[in-house]
Amino acid sequence: MAEAEAEATEETPKGGKGKLIIAAVGGLVLMGAGVFLGPMITGMISPPPEPEVAEESDDAKPKPGAPAFYYPILPPLTSNFPDQQGRRRFIQVGLEVRASEQSAIDAVKEHNAVIRNALLLAYSELDYDAVVTRDGKEALRQTSLEEVRRVLNEQTGKPGIDDIFFTQFIIQ
């Protein structure tokens, strides 16, 4: 009987060592995943790096081969508007502007609140039946571009932005 107890006490530490090894290997795997996935995840969460400054002409249209600077208007814009039956509809739009000069992107950053306000007011007057079509979405994109250019022209004296793109579009 004493021999059975001695064998049992000898096996218990071995089982504990096995669990310790498994936990250590699991920890190393998690650390390795963190080392490789951490930079990738933070790259998805943080905004894109600022583009370099480039000197170009004052034209609103980009020239072929000219650098393009993009900037997201964050967070996405959310607004409500009535449909023809009087029900409240909601729209959420993610936008990104394109300019051929860094100074235009800086102006968008500086006047972000005024731009967001103008866009939200424009979106509150939408026609649901029109905006659910592709042509309606394109018309809304043009309206958005005109609003941003109008605000920048009022604030800086230059329209600055070449184009605007939807990066998110949800209607409910």
Side-chain angles (χ1 to χ4, degrees):
M1 182 136 161
E3 292 175 16
E5 287 179 16
E7 288 178 20
T9 56
E10 288 178 14
E11 289 182 23
T12 303
K14 286 184 181 177
K17 287 181 183 178
K19 289 180 183 178
L20 182 63
I21 291 172
I22 290 172
V25 169
L28 287 173
V29 168
L30 287 175
M31 275 188 2
V35 166
F36 290 107
L37 293 177
M40 185 171 70
I41 290 172
T42 56
M44 288 189 291
I45 294 171
S46 63
E50 296 294 323
E52 294 180 19
V53 176
E55 293 297 322
E56 292 292 323
S57 68
D58 290 337
D59 294 339
K61 297 289 181 189
K63 296 182 183 198
F69 300 96
Y70 294 88
Y71 183 74
I73 296 178
L74 295 174
L77 299 160
T78 304
S79 183
N80 59 11
F81 60 97
D83 65 7
Q84 291 182 343
Q85 289 80 30
R87 293 183 294 185
R88 299 305 292 170
R89 298 293 187 156
F90 293 90
I91 186 168
Q92 185 175 53
V93 178
L95 298 169
E96 195 157 329
V97 297
R98 181 184 71 199
S100 56
E101 293 182 355
Q102 179 62 39
S103 61
I105 297 299
D106 294 339
V108 170
K109 290 178 189 177
E110 182 178 345
H111 302 291
N112 188 39
V114 182
I115 290 169
R116 291 178 64 80
N117 180 65
L119 291 172
L120 287 172
L121 291 176
Y123 295 166
S124 68
E125 298 174 352
L126 292 176
D127 176 21
Y128 176 76
D129 292 329
V131 80
V132 294
T133 66
R134 181 180 177 95
D135 290 338
K137 289 179 177 104
E138 181 60 31
L140 181 61
R141 190 180 73 78
Q142 285 299 322
T143 299
S144 301
L145 176 61
E146 291 167 8
E147 283 296 314
V148 172
R149 283 180 172 170
R150 181 187 62 77
V151 168
L152 289 177
N153 203 25
E154 287 175 359
Q155 300 294 324
T156 66
K158 294 191 276 185
I161 299 302
D162 299 329
D163 213 342
I164 195 164
F165 303 98
F166 291 134
T167 56
Q168 177 182 351
F169 197 96
I170 301 170
I171 297 178
Q172 189 173 356

